[in-house]
Amino acid sequence: MKRRRFITGGAIAAILASANTAWAKKKPQRAKFKVYNGPEVTGVIIYKKRRKMKLLHFGKPLREYDIDLGFAPKGHKLREGDGRTPEGLYTINRDNPNSKYYLSLGVSYPNSRDRARAAAAGVSPGGDIFIHGGPRYRGERNKKDWTHGCISVSDAEMEDIFAMVKVGTPIMIHP
């Protein structure tokens, strides 16, 4: 009886050891998100007219990207559905790894001034302004300035930006 337990126990140990070895030989999976270990991004600046976005570390440029904007890019966003990208000082207020447009970082539009301006005009200021990658379907991205007021970059660039820019980072959007 003792011999049977010893043999059974040895067989189970051998099976577990071989399974463990097979698991250890698997190729490591790619991380879901990139990791950034460089200087902290302390600000984001958008230049709408030049279609550029800069990530800054205490005023020093770290990276620069070409961007697309809302389908009506000139002027400050006034109301929901106008296709404009807002202008002014905001913050990155959320991140969304499951975005409809690849990855995304939320912009704190509308601020109190935006809400007051829209209320005076009797309209909704809108919301849900993001920095994001491309759409899941490519038909929208066949032209420049295709978003509904957001700031768009390529998916590969958005992976880097998503890793670098943290919630709470100020963003200044210039005309």
Side-chain angles (χ1 to χ4, degrees):
M1 190 68 147
K2 287 183 183 181
R3 185 177 173 165
R4 180 183 269 172
R5 281 189 215 161
F6 178 75
I7 292 171
T8 305
I12 292 172
I15 290 169
L16 290 174
S18 68
N20 220 6
T21 303
W23 176 81
K25 289 180 183 177
K26 281 186 180 179
K27 291 182 181 177
Q29 292 185 354
R30 184 173 180 260
K32 186 172 182 181
F33 302 109
K34 286 188 174 181
V35 175
Y36 175 69
N37 293 317
E40 176 187 8
V41 174
T42 58
V44 177
I45 298 184
I46 304 293
Y47 298 99
K48 288 172 54 174
K49 185 175 182 179
R50 293 179 15 211
R51 303 298 191 279
K52 297 286 184 187
M53 174 172 52
K54 290 185 179 185
L55 305 184
L56 307 173
H57 174 69
F58 295 109
K60 180 183 173 193
L62 294 172
R63 304 261 176 96
E64 184 174 301
Y65 302 94
D66 293 326
I67 59 171
D68 284 326
L69 300 169
F71 60 81
K74 292 185 180 177
H76 178 61
K77 184 165 193 62
L78 300 173
R79 63 177 173 78
E80 183 174 14
D82 66 6
R84 294 180 180 171
T85 302
E87 297 170 357
L89 181 62
Y90 300 94
T91 59
I92 299 300
N93 64 355
R94 62 199 181 280
D95 58 23
N96 183 359
N98 301 311
S99 172
K100 175 180 173 184
Y101 297 102
Y102 196 55
L103 301 169
S104 65
L105 296 170
V107 175
S108 64
Y109 175 87
N111 59 27
S112 58
R113 195 173 74 219
D114 298 321
R115 284 189 292 278
R117 185 181 301 135
V123 296
S124 167
D128 286 339
I129 301 297
F130 290 89
I131 300 170
H132 60 67
R136 295 281 184 218
Y137 49 95
R138 294 291 171 205
E140 272 188 334
R141 186 116 193 208
N142 289 336
K143 60 181 183 162
K144 187 175 181 80
D145 296 333
W146 59 274
T147 76
H148 294 275
C150 296
I151 299 149
S152 176
V153 295
S154 75
D155 289 353
E157 291 169 333
M158 193 61 218
E159 286 180 7
D160 293 339
I161 295 164
F162 195 82
M164 295 174 75
V165 179
K166 302 300 176 212
V167 171
T169 303
I171 176 170
M172 181 67 189
I173 305 173
H174 293 283

